[in-house]
Amino acid sequence: MLSRTADHLFWMARYMERAENTARMLDVNYQTSLLPQSADRAEQGWLGMLGISELTGAYELRHGKIDPRHVMDFMVRDETHPSSIVSCLRAARENARAVRGTITTELWETTNQTWLEFNRMLRQVGFERDPSAFFEWVKFRSHLSRGVTVGTMLQDESLHFIRIGTFLERADNTARLLDVKFHALNGDYFGHEQPDDAPEIDFYHWSAILRSVSGFEIYRKVYRNVIVPEKVAELLILRPDMPRSLASCMNGVVDNLSLVANAQSADTQRRAGRLKSDLQFGRIDEILATGIHAYLTHFLDRVNDIGAGISRDFLVSA
């Protein structure tokens, strides 16, 4: 396969997944902002949302003071940065158009229709009227795109590069969400005495975070007890049967990398396999003992390194 084609397929998938993850993070922030809490805590939640995508400085240059509506508008319709939903959906469509002859007609029509319908909804003020419904729509269109991809494409290198992009982007976003939310909700006080009202206050926030990764019902099924930060971390980091966990994502990356391996990709495969093994045999008590922020920061560095290796080995033309 031409590296140019592989590059378009890889980034088409990453941008569609990034649009969904941005919608998920915005929705959880919007839902938690409606809960009883101090103004400072609410503002920290929106700052954390910007921090996940490393956009705090860009936002402050354009809008200054943190305002929920401005943050959502910035992350949905602002075309000046690549993490907004409008930028992601446009980039996904443009990459799909560039490889129109490689993907199926159904996948192209799904991607193109998502872009057209998204712009129509923005013009009709659907986003401002009901943000949660709008974010659910973005998530649904991403789900539809993945379903059409797996259900209509030949299981060859094209599909494998799409899947690599999806899993790599999902791993990055899950780690960022966990890192910021654990910090914002005092997730690093494991083993320390908590305020008397902490369980009641945090239950709704942890529930919202689990729902943001479609993990609330899975948590109840797996653990069958009250929501505690340690178990949330274990579910979203180490459980390979949780679709959006770090372990599940890295399993997907490694499996698909092995199917497109070439003469120069051995080192990238080794790095991805080692990260997969660390997650497979890791223990949540060891992770929490060393500090979840340090662990997730190191994980993000390793994921970015793997992404750079994939670009070097497969995607960049000589």
Side-chain angles (χ1 to χ4, degrees):
M1 173 180 288
L2 291 175
S3 61
R4 181 175 62 254
T5 300
D7 185 79
H8 286 305
L9 293 168
F10 176 82
W11 283 105
M12 176 190 72
R14 288 202 70 161
Y15 278 119
M16 184 60 72
E17 181 70 22
R18 188 175 300 176
E20 177 187 348
N21 285 307
T22 299
R24 286 176 177 275
M25 292 185 290
L26 282 169
D27 193 32
V28 68
N29 259 59
Y30 176 70
Q31 295 292 341
T32 54
S33 72
L34 302 178
L35 298 172
Q37 59 185 316
S38 68
D40 287 343
R41 186 164 189 173
E43 182 174 322
Q44 286 302 313
W46 291 108
L47 276 171
M49 169 71 234
L50 293 168
I52 290 173
S53 302
E54 301 179 0
L55 290 171
T56 306
Y59 171 86
E60 290 176 346
L61 284 175
R62 290 182 66 84
H63 298 285
K65 185 178 179 181
I66 295 294
D67 177 85
R69 285 290 175 180
H70 286 162
V71 174
M72 287 196 291
D73 190 78
F74 182 70
M75 294 300 297
V76 170
R77 66 167 83 234
D78 195 312
E79 302 179 9
T80 63
H81 64 90
S83 293
S84 66
I85 295 176
V86 66
S87 296
C88 290
L89 292 182
R90 178 193 292 111
R93 179 187 180 274
E94 289 304 308
N95 279 285
R97 185 175 61 84
V99 288
R100 177 67 185 82
T102 302
I103 62 176
T104 60
T105 299
E106 291 89 343
L107 179 53
W108 161 248
E109 289 180 349
T110 299
T111 306
N112 189 48
Q113 184 62 33
T114 298
W115 170 246
L116 297 175
E117 185 70 10
F118 174 82
N119 282 279
R120 184 189 65 79
M121 293 176 70
L122 287 186
R123 290 194 300 270
Q124 295 182 356
V125 203
F127 159 55
E128 289 86 349
R129 185 166 50 246
D130 190 347
S132 283
F134 176 84
F135 297 140
E136 283 297 323
W137 178 87
V138 175
K139 288 160 58 178
F140 170 77
R141 296 302 299 188
S142 179
H143 296 165
L144 180 61
S145 176
R146 278 196 303 276
V148 170
T149 299
V150 175
T152 67
M153 286 196 64
L154 184 67
Q155 296 187 17
D156 61 0
E157 286 186 336
S158 297
L159 178 63
H160 302 322
F161 279 114
I162 290 173
R163 301 300 282 163
I164 291 170
T166 296
F167 288 124
L168 203 63
E169 184 67 28
R170 186 179 297 175
D172 181 273
N173 279 272
T174 297
R176 290 176 185 273
L177 175 69
L178 268 174
D179 190 21
V180 170
K181 291 305 179 182
F182 266 74
H183 178 72
L185 299 179
N186 299 317
D188 283 327
Y189 56 43
F190 297 110
H192 298 81
E193 184 177 352
Q194 302 179 24
D196 292 337
D197 61 347
E200 291 79 8
I201 294 174
D202 286 351
F203 171 81
Y204 298 103
H205 290 270
W206 290 116
S207 298
I209 290 168
L210 284 169
R211 287 191 172 95
S212 75
V213 291
S214 300
F216 182 79
E217 294 176 347
I218 294 175
Y219 183 96
R220 289 300 198 191
K221 185 175 183 179
V222 171
Y223 297 107
R224 300 180 183 276
N225 59 9
V226 297
I227 298 174
V228 293
E230 293 91 339
K231 296 300 183 183
V232 174
E234 182 180 64
L235 180 71
L236 298 185
I237 294 174
L238 299 178
R239 293 282 308 200
D241 48 357
M242 166 61 188
R244 307 190 77 84
S245 72
L246 305 186
S248 177
C249 292
M250 288 312 304
N251 288 346
V253 170
V254 170
D255 291 347
N256 284 277
L257 264 179
S258 67
L259 296 171
V260 298
N262 60 25
Q264 62 189 36
S265 63
D267 186 61
T268 300
Q269 287 181 270
R270 180 188 64 80
R271 292 171 185 269
R274 185 173 180 180
L275 181 51
K276 172 188 172 180
S277 296
D278 288 346
L279 291 163
Q280 180 179 353
F281 298 106
R283 291 168 51 95
I284 194 61
D285 55 341
E286 295 173 350
I287 292 173
L288 298 177
T290 58
I292 197 165
H293 174 69
Y295 179 86
L296 292 172
T297 299
H298 185 50
F299 175 86
L300 285 168
D301 289 340
R302 296 172 74 179
V303 164
N304 290 335
D305 183 57
I306 292 168
I310 291 170
S311 295
R312 179 182 63 249
D313 299 337
F314 301 103
L315 309 182
V316 179
S317 299

